[in-house]
Amino acid sequence: MPADERFAVRRESARASRPRPLAVGPAPADVPLPPGLALRGRLATGARRPEAPRGSGRGGSGSRTPRTGRGGGPRRTYERARRAWDRPLTAYYVILGSSLLITVLGLVMVYSASMIKALDISKPATYFFGKQFLAAVIGGGLMLIAARMPVKLHRGLAYPMLMVTVFLMVLVQVPGIGMSVNGNQNWLYLGGPFQLQPSEFGKLALILWGADLLARKQDKRLLTQWKHMLVPLVPVAFMLLGLIMLGGDMGTAIILTAILFGLLWLAGAPTRLFAGVLGFAAVLAFLLIWTSPNRMSRLSCMGIIGEPDPEDGCWQAAHGIYALASGGWFGSGLGASVEKWGQLPEPHTDFIFAITGEELGLAGTLSVLALFAALGYAGIRVAGRTEDPFVRYAAGGVTTWITAQAVINIGAVLGLLPIAGVPLPLFSYGGSALLPTMFAVGLMIAFAREDPAAKAALAMRRPRVRWKTMRRRVKKRSSGER
C-alpha cells in the first residue's frame, strides 16, 4: 500500500477512536452523570453553585475567622516600629530632627513672648527675636562643624576649651570687666547689645575634658581604683563650681553637679563612693540655700496656692501657674498671651514654657516634652551602643546636661521644683546658652555618624555623580523613519 493511503487510513482510525463531546443541555434526572461531567454541564448552562449557609463555615455555626490585612494588628505594628527604631540611622535622624524642631519652635515662642518686653524698654518688637535668630544661625554653623569633626579632633579640643573657659570665668570676677545681671556676676560685656556668660561654656568644657580623662584611664584599667576615678575629675569640677558660685549663679552650679554625677555613674562608680559625693554635694547645697534669703524664698514657693504680693518672691511662680492654667487644651493662640503684659517676669527666658502653655495649650507643652524625651532617648542609645569609651562618656554627659536642665526648668514652671534660674535648652532666649548647646548637639550627631552601621548606611545613600546621565538619551531610529 502506498504511503499516502497508509497515512489516510491511520487518520480515519484515530478520528473513529476519539470520544465524541457531550451535548450541551441539562441531563435527564434519571441518568446519573460522573462528577466531572456534571460540573462541566452546569458551567456550560450558566447554572450557579448553590450558596452554603452563612453559619456552616469551618469555624462552626455562626462563627467566621476574621482576616487581618498586611498592616493590621497591634503586634505587627509594634514589630514594625521596633524594626524601624533599630535601624542604624534612627538615632542620627532623631537627634537632628528633634533639636531643629525645638530650636525653630523656640524662635517662634521667643518672638511671641518678648514683643511686649521689647516695647516696654523702648526697643522694636523684634529686638530679642533678632538677637536670638542671629545666635541660632551661628549655633547652626557650630552644630554643622561639630557634626563633621572626627572624634579625635573633639578629644583634642578638651584641654584647650577647659583652659579658655576657666580663664574667662576668672575674668568675670575682675572688677570693671565682669557684669552683673539680675544679681549674678557671671557675664562679660562684648560691646553693643551683646554679652557672654562663660559658665554656659563650662558645661561643655567639663563634659569633653571629663570624657577624655575617664576614657584614657579606662584604657589603662585605672578606674577600678577610687582615687583614679575621683582625682582629678572631682577637684576640677569643684573648682568650676566655686567660680560659678562666686557670681551667685546657683542654677548653673546645679546643672554642673548633675553632669559630674552623670560622668561618675557612666564610669561605674561604686554605690558607696557615689553616695558619698552626692551627700557632700547635698550638704553644701543646703548650706548655700540656708545662708541666702533669696534662695530660701525661692524654695518656699514650691506648690504655692493663692495670690502673692507683687513684692513677694513667689509672684513669678504663681503667675507661671496662672499662664499654664489659662491655656486649656489648645491655648489662646500665638501672640494672645495675657501674662506677658507685665504680669509674668522673664517671660522669654526662664518662664517661656509657661507662655507656651498659655498660647499653645496642653498640646503645645506635650509636644515640647515629647521632643525633649526623643532627644534624650536618642542620646542614651548613642551612649549605650558605642564601643568607644570617650563617645560613651561624652554622649552620656551631653544627654545628662540637656535632660537635667529641661527637667529643672519645667519643674520650676510647674511649681514642683524651686526656681533655679536656668533656661530651657535650645528653647529659651539667650545666645550664651544656645551656642554651646547646639555645639553639644552637633557632638552627638557626630557620634551617631561614627557608628559602623550608620557609616555604611550613609555611604550607600550618597548620590554618585555620573557625567553620562547629563546627556540626553535618544532612541535609535531606523534609516527610513522620520
Side-chain angles (χ1 to χ4, degrees):
M1 183 182 294
D4 295 339
E5 295 180 3
R6 288 198 303 269
F7 179 74
V9 171
R10 289 179 181 177
R11 185 173 56 187
E12 293 296 331
S13 61
R15 288 180 179 178
S17 61
R18 184 181 300 172
R20 296 180 180 180
L22 296 175
V24 177
D30 55 348
V31 181
L33 293 178
L37 296 179
L39 177 61
R40 188 182 303 172
R42 284 195 296 269
L43 293 177
T45 56
R48 294 182 179 180
R49 183 181 300 176
E51 296 183 0
R54 293 186 177 182
S56 60
R58 292 185 179 181
S61 61
S63 64
R64 177 176 291 182
T65 305
R67 293 183 179 180
T68 57
R70 293 184 178 180
R75 184 176 181 84
R76 188 183 295 271
T77 304
Y78 169 75
E79 291 296 331
R80 287 185 176 182
R82 187 178 60 84
R83 287 196 299 267
W85 180 252
D86 288 337
R87 292 177 181 175
L89 292 176
T90 300
Y92 169 76
Y93 287 124
V94 169
I95 294 173
L96 178 62
S98 59
S99 60
L100 290 181
L101 286 175
I102 293 172
T103 305
V104 172
L105 183 58
L107 287 173
V108 174
M109 292 310 304
V110 164
Y111 176 67
S112 178
S114 63
M115 290 188 297
I116 307 303
K117 181 73 173 180
L119 295 175
D120 187 46
I121 60 175
S122 302
K123 298 290 184 180
T126 59
Y127 175 73
F128 293 104
F129 171 76
K131 294 174 63 177
Q132 185 74 358
F133 182 77
L134 178 60
V137 171
I138 299 175
L142 292 177
M143 184 177 70
L144 182 61
I145 293 173
R148 294 292 180 177
M149 288 171 56
V151 177
K152 292 183 179 180
L153 187 55
H154 283 296
R155 296 189 69 169
L157 289 176
Y159 280 86
M161 184 175 293
L162 179 65
M163 290 186 292
V164 171
T165 303
V166 171
F167 173 75
L168 293 177
M169 292 174 69
V170 172
L171 202 62
V172 165
Q173 306 303 325
V174 177
I177 299 178
M179 289 183 58
S180 177
V181 178
N182 294 331
N184 294 335
Q185 185 80 13
N186 284 311
W187 297 84
L188 288 175
Y189 180 66
L190 299 180
F194 299 102
Q195 303 166 355
L196 181 67
Q197 188 176 3
S199 57
E200 292 291 339
F201 293 87
K203 305 170 186 176
L204 181 61
L206 179 62
I207 289 172
L208 288 178
W209 177 79
D212 178 69
L213 175 70
L214 294 175
R216 287 188 289 106
K217 289 194 173 186
Q218 181 175 338
D219 292 338
K220 298 178 181 179
R221 299 180 180 180
L222 297 175
L223 292 181
T224 55
Q225 306 176 22
W226 67 268
K227 59 181 180 180
H228 285 286
M229 184 174 293
L230 296 181
V231 180
L233 177 62
V234 175
V236 171
F238 275 82
M239 178 189 67
L240 295 175
L241 288 173
L243 291 174
I244 292 173
M245 290 307 300
L246 282 177
D249 192 357
M250 184 73 179
T252 305
I254 293 174
I255 304 302
L256 208 68
T257 306
I259 294 173
L260 174 62
F261 288 147
L263 291 174
L264 290 176
W265 183 77
L266 290 169
T271 306
R272 291 179 297 178
L273 184 63
F274 196 84
V277 177
L278 182 62
F280 178 77
V283 171
L284 184 60
F286 175 77
L287 293 176
L288 292 173
I289 293 174
W290 183 264
T291 55
S292 174
N294 184 26
R295 299 186 187 116
M296 284 297 298
S297 64
R298 291 186 176 186
L299 186 63
S300 63
C301 294
M302 294 175 56
I304 183 173
I305 300 175
E307 178 71 21
D309 296 329
E311 302 297 331
D312 193 358
C314 299
W315 176 266
Q316 187 176 16
H319 281 271
I321 298 296
Y322 297 160
L324 291 173
S326 61
W329 288 97
F330 299 102
S332 58
L334 283 174
S337 171
V338 177
E339 293 294 334
K340 67 183 180 183
W341 287 77
Q343 299 294 328
L344 181 63
E346 306 297 335
H348 58 298
T349 55
D350 300 346
F351 274 70
I352 193 172
F353 189 77
I355 303 299
T356 304
E358 185 180 5
E359 296 186 350
L360 301 182
L362 182 63
T365 55
L366 290 181
S367 300
V368 174
L369 290 176
L371 290 174
F372 275 109
L375 182 59
Y377 193 80
I380 293 174
R381 170 176 167 152
V382 171
R385 292 197 173 190
T386 183
E387 299 294 335
D388 190 345
F390 173 77
V391 172
R392 180 168 64 254
Y393 296 137
V398 172
T399 306
T400 304
W401 165 18
I402 296 177
T403 305
Q405 187 163 330
V407 168
I408 291 174
N409 178 274
I410 296 174
V413 174
L414 295 176
L416 303 176
L417 295 174
I419 301 175
V422 295
L424 190 59
L426 301 172
F427 200 84
S428 297
Y429 169 78
S432 296
L434 185 62
L435 294 181
T437 308
M438 294 195 75
F439 186 89
V441 171
L443 192 71
M444 287 203 297
I445 293 175
F447 295 158
R449 290 167 55 94
E450 286 296 323
D451 184 63
K455 277 186 176 181
L458 287 173
M460 292 178 62
R461 294 190 178 188
R462 290 176 182 172
R464 298 179 180 178
V465 180
R466 296 182 180 180
W467 299 103
K468 293 183 179 180
T469 57
M470 302 298 294
R471 189 184 304 168
R472 183 181 178 185
R473 295 184 179 181
V474 182
K475 185 178 179 180
K476 189 176 181 180
R477 300 176 180 176
S478 59
S479 58
E481 184 179 358
R482 292 184 179 180

